[in-house]
Amino acid sequence: RQGRDVAALFLIDLSASTDDRLPDPNAPTPPPEVYHDFDWSDEPLPAPPEGEKIIDLEKHAVIQMTQALEALGDHYAVSGFSGYGRDQVEYYLCKDFDQPLDYRSKARIGGIKPCRSTRMGPVIRHSIQRLTKTEARIKALIIISDGYPQDHDYGSDRNSKSYGVNDTMKALHEAKQQGVQSYCLTVDPSGHDYLRQMCPDRQYMVIQDVSQLPDELS
């Protein structure tokens, strides 16, 4: 007799860059502005255009998946992560495996907001511990991000990707050793550069059109 025995944990990147607004594909192209010496307008600068943010799209994608998993009856959890430095790693639990998708869980998912840096290694290791305690036959860790792992003390050079990528690669390898299947999704167009090194067995996807994230996650 075969049956579904799945536990999935969604890990959402809450770095400051997820506060960026998505470009409106239907917006008209503004004409190029030509300035001459002393030809500056005294009018105040226009307000930035209103539009959906990356973090709004992450929420929308996860909500779609929770509705599908509710129908399937799978166990799942939703968390967000951020932080600033090795002593301030932030892990936000929106819905735990044994919690229902009620108004409290929905409010916590809806209430997440951009925070600070993208420190992936520690939160992946914490997520592995949470998944292994479920005793499910299939354990899945799905990471949704908009950029490479970085933090102000991720290595001696803040502008270097090497330390953060290698720490995350090690954490994902530890997940595989403990029977947790990981999958990374990013809306970073240059994601291939580091994800092919970071993710075991090429378990990743680069979303070319950020507005397609909800469909691609499904």
Side-chain angles (χ1 to χ4, degrees):
R1 182 177 179 181
Q2 294 182 348
R4 291 182 65 88
D5 188 11
V6 179
L9 194 155
F10 293 90
L11 199 53
I12 308 171
D13 178 7
L14 304 183
S15 58
S17 56
T18 60
D19 198 39
D20 292 347
R21 295 191 180 276
L22 304 173
D24 184 0
N26 299 318
T29 303
E33 298 185 14
V34 179
Y35 294 104
H36 302 283
D37 289 343
F38 306 108
D39 184 20
W40 299 99
S41 173
D42 292 330
E43 297 295 325
L45 293 173
E50 292 294 324
E52 198 170 37
K53 298 179 180 180
I54 293 175
I55 196 166
D56 297 326
L57 209 62
E58 289 180 335
K59 294 179 189 179
H60 181 52
V62 169
I63 289 170
Q64 275 194 340
M65 285 302 298
T66 60
Q67 292 171 344
L69 295 174
E70 284 288 320
L72 289 170
D74 289 348
H75 297 287
Y76 67 94
V78 180
S79 299
F81 71 96
S82 182
Y84 191 71
R86 63 181 301 170
D87 297 321
Q88 190 177 339
V89 181
E90 297 166 344
Y91 188 95
Y92 301 92
L93 181 60
C94 300
K95 178 195 174 300
D96 210 346
F97 292 105
D98 57 353
Q99 291 178 335
L101 185 65
D102 56 11
Y103 72 93
R104 294 183 182 89
S105 300
K106 293 177 181 178
R108 285 191 288 266
I109 296 173
I112 57 178
K113 58 185 179 180
C115 299
R116 305 195 77 170
S117 299
T118 312
R119 197 178 188 96
M120 286 189 182
V123 293
I124 289 174
R125 294 181 176 97
H126 184 66
S127 300
I128 294 170
Q129 293 180 4
R130 299 183 64 83
L131 279 163
T132 53
K133 289 178 181 178
T134 65
E135 298 183 355
R137 183 171 59 87
I138 298 175
K139 305 175 182 67
L141 173 62
I142 301 173
I143 305 166
I144 308 169
S145 178
D146 74 330
Y148 64 91
Q150 64 86 27
D151 200 353
H152 78 95
D153 62 349
Y154 241 176
S156 57
D157 181 3
R158 182 169 184 169
N159 296 318
S160 174
K161 299 180 183 179
S162 178
Y163 191 103
V165 168
N166 280 283
D167 180 44
T168 306
M169 177 179 65
K170 177 66 174 175
L172 292 173
H173 182 68
E174 293 167 7
K176 184 178 179 181
Q177 288 179 321
Q178 298 184 53
V180 175
Q181 302 178 29
S182 61
Y183 204 87
C184 299
L185 296 102
T186 184
V187 297
D188 180 7
S190 61
H192 288 289
D193 296 342
Y194 54 89
L195 286 173
R196 65 165 60 95
Q197 172 191 352
M198 200 169 74
C199 300
D201 304 322
R202 302 293 179 92
Q203 292 290 102
Y204 73 87
M205 179 183 292
V206 176
I207 311 298
Q208 300 296 336
D209 180 357
V210 71
S211 64
Q212 297 302 313
L213 175 58
D215 295 331
E216 295 292 352
L217 179 56
S218 300

